[in-house]
Amino acid sequence: MPRFTSTSSTSSMSRRLFLSTTGALSLGAALTACGGGDSGGSSGSAKPVGQADIDKAMKTPTELTFWTWVPNIAKEVALFEKKYPAIKVKIVNAGQGTPQYTKLRTALKAGSGAPDMVQIEYQAIPTFTITNSLLDLRPYGASALKSAFVDWTWGQVSGSNGEIWAIPQDTGPMGMLYRHDIFDKYGIGVPRTWDEFAAAARKLHKANPDVYLTNLAANQVAAWHGLLWQAGAKPYATSGKSDITISVDDAVSKKLGAYWGGLAGEGVIGVEPDFTDSWYAALDKGKYATWITAAWGPVFLSGSAKSTAGKWRAAPLPQWDTAKPSSGNWGGSTTAVVRSTKNPVAAAVFAQFLNSDPASAKMFATEQFFFPATKALLTDASFTGDAPSFYGGQKVNQVFADIGSTVNSSFQWPPFLDQAATDWTETVGKSLADRTDTVRALGTWQSRLTTYAKNQGFTVKGS
């Protein structure tokens, strides 16, 4: 469950953290940078591959190369090789997130050295589909898997013309972890709405100036996008390969800006960079009474704030409208097939098996502690019934599984996420850190991003 942020993490869970950039190309260069073979990758011309051809391909001795940063993934790969002994998979760690994406683009442009399959985060998919770099998996039977995955994840891997660009692997529906002991001490109830959350922030900090209800990191563009997602914002909307609507300062965005910028300006929430030594220490010492995080957060926190064991609980995010519960997503990745592969059938079958086979999917949840994308695991009592002592025996997985059903499936990412992240950090993020006008900073973010997109050859519509 990676995150995109301008700072790196050295923790054991860093594979779950969004990276800062995805290395956008100019539109003109992008459309010529990645040719590759046809292999059914062009939407509109994809023809189904017959079962006989699939069976033949899976019995033909073949070596596939898979780029992934997931630790110990050889265990899951071994399950695939056991079922298809003629196929051997070479696992290569080409870097996590941005470094891998950069190497992939270099290999595609050179016409050699690209892998057959690649680990790719949800938010990075558009930066590769716009360059025709990913294989449409529909001809290889991927459509049959739609009902196996959480609806919104399928929306994240699907194209505007029905293409299936990748197979979901894990997710990060957003919720809130909170210190029940601090809440009890200061008479604070679990906030159900954002208004209640703001009132609690003021009450807690007034009672104890050394404690804040939460921290909204000034470097955490990932969390901001997740909060936009929850609020129903549509910051980016693409049409074709050259049209995009950018709405990062629309009414919904300004509501968020006024809310969080207001709390930061009052000094009742923290704004320090997260995933740093001081941030870890703050969580461990009780400086923050909540962490607005994602489904991977509970495991992360239990390994990072051990002295607080038993004091934390999980809850859904506070709501803007309690009659319509909603959440956003922060994190998660997929397995995609690179369009230039010489073995599209075997590569496509691998991507599907790795993430939909019950044993493999469960192994990701138990070995790498990924939060599942399959509906079967999210209703499996052995998973949802887990009651860790760190959370006082609460069934935290069940809490986040329930939250996952409220994530909107229509949220889109831009094909130049790196620039969006950089501009956010230098405008909105900076306004939070400096406790200045966040709403005004949203306008600057909108302007900078619009200018960038136009310079790359996009036709831009604003909010």
Side-chain angles (χ1 to χ4, degrees):
M1 305 163 201
R3 64 183 167 95
F4 55 95
T5 177
S6 58
T7 60
S8 61
S9 170
T10 57
S11 76
S12 62
M13 296 290 286
S14 61
R15 66 185 181 278
R16 298 173 175 273
L17 309 182
F18 275 115
L19 277 295
S20 61
T21 63
T22 53
L25 300 171
S26 68
L27 182 62
L31 296 179
T32 58
C34 308
D38 288 338
S39 301
S42 180
S43 63
S45 62
K47 298 180 180 179
V49 176
Q51 188 59 49
D53 290 331
I54 292 177
D55 292 342
K56 180 180 178 180
M58 301 312 290
K59 293 177 181 178
T60 302
T62 304
E63 181 175 279
L64 301 173
T65 298
F66 178 32
W67 284 8
T68 176
W69 57 79
V70 176
N72 303 316
I73 200 171
K75 295 181 179 180
E76 286 88 349
V77 171
L79 296 176
F80 171 81
E81 292 179 330
K82 182 178 180 180
K83 183 172 182 178
Y84 301 104
I87 313 297
K88 302 302 177 186
V89 180
K90 180 181 180 182
I91 301 170
V92 175
N93 186 336
Q96 176 180 313
T98 300
Q100 177 195 268
Y101 302 150
T102 300
K103 291 177 183 177
L104 178 58
R105 287 193 180 87
T106 299
L108 289 167
K109 187 174 183 179
S112 64
D116 298 283
M117 302 85 61
V118 63
Q119 189 92 18
I120 185 168
E121 299 151 292
Y122 293 108
Q123 76 273 9
I125 290 175
T127 71
F128 287 96
T129 58
I130 198 173
T131 60
N132 262 350
S133 300
L134 303 183
L135 186 70
D136 181 0
L137 301 178
R138 286 178 297 174
Y140 311 96
S143 298
L145 295 178
K146 180 178 180 179
S147 63
F149 292 93
V150 176
D151 294 344
W152 69 263
T153 65
W154 203 253
Q156 289 283 293
V157 301
S158 299
S160 59
N161 294 313
E163 304 94 338
I164 301 172
W165 297 123
I167 306 298
Q169 185 168 100
D170 63 311
T171 68
M174 290 181 69
M176 181 179 71
L177 301 179
Y178 66 95
R179 284 282 298 269
H180 85 95
D181 59 325
I182 295 177
F183 275 32
D184 289 348
K185 180 178 180 179
Y186 295 100
I188 295 172
V190 179
R192 297 171 302 149
T193 68
W194 286 114
D195 283 344
E196 291 179 359
F197 186 91
R202 298 181 181 107
K203 177 180 179 179
L204 176 61
H205 193 61
K206 182 178 181 180
N208 187 341
D210 293 327
V211 180
Y212 297 88
L213 185 62
T214 200
N215 178 73
L216 182 61
N219 68 331
Q220 197 43 270
V221 63
W224 188 265
H225 278 84
L227 291 169
L228 283 174
W229 194 334
Q230 187 219 11
K234 297 185 184 301
Y236 320 103
T238 57
S239 176
K241 291 186 178 295
S242 61
D243 295 337
I244 185 168
T245 299
I246 300 174
S247 305
V248 298
D249 71 339
D250 63 354
V252 177
S253 301
K254 288 177 179 177
K255 177 174 70 174
L256 250 64
Y259 181 87
W260 289 106
L263 292 178
E266 290 180 45
V268 296
I269 63 169
V271 292
E272 70 174 304
D274 58 8
F275 303 104
T276 61
D277 289 343
S278 62
W279 179 81
Y280 289 121
L283 284 176
D284 206 31
K285 295 178 181 178
K287 180 179 179 180
Y288 302 121
T290 75
W291 180 25
I292 294 172
T293 183
W296 44 264
V299 174
F300 188 102
L301 185 64
S302 64
S304 304
K306 295 181 179 180
S307 69
T308 62
K311 298 178 180 179
W312 292 88
R313 300 291 185 271
L317 289 178
Q319 298 294 308
W320 294 107
D321 183 354
T322 56
K324 300 176 182 178
S326 64
S327 187
N329 184 73
W330 173 3
S333 57
T334 70
T335 305
V337 176
V338 180
R339 189 167 178 260
S340 60
T341 180
K342 303 301 181 184
N343 301 288
V345 174
V349 171
F350 172 83
Q352 295 174 69
F353 175 94
L354 185 69
N355 301 308
S356 67
D357 176 77
S360 182
K362 190 165 188 174
M363 193 174 286
F364 279 122
T366 57
E367 294 287 333
Q368 284 88 6
F369 301 107
F370 283 0
F371 199 78
T374 62
K375 293 177 181 177
L377 263 180
L378 291 171
T379 55
D380 184 336
S382 67
F383 176 76
T384 59
D386 185 45
S389 58
F390 188 89
Y391 295 93
Q394 183 185 22
K395 296 179 180 179
V396 176
N397 286 343
Q398 182 66 67
V399 173
F400 281 95
D402 292 341
I403 291 171
S405 66
T406 69
V407 176
N408 189 293
S409 61
S410 63
F411 191 87
Q412 294 185 41
W413 298 100
F416 40 77
L417 186 65
D418 63 327
Q419 192 65 37
T422 297
D423 287 346
W424 183 91
T425 301
E426 295 176 358
T427 57
V428 182
K430 188 175 187 301
S431 77
L432 292 171
D434 296 344
R435 302 185 188 277
T436 54
D437 191 340
T438 299
V439 173
R440 182 177 181 180
L442 287 170
T444 306
W445 184 28
Q446 172 82 22
S447 178
R448 286 178 55 161
L449 205 50
T450 298
T451 298
Y452 176 84
K454 288 180 177 178
N455 287 341
Q456 305 310 304
F458 288 91
T459 299
V460 182
K461 295 181 179 180
S463 59

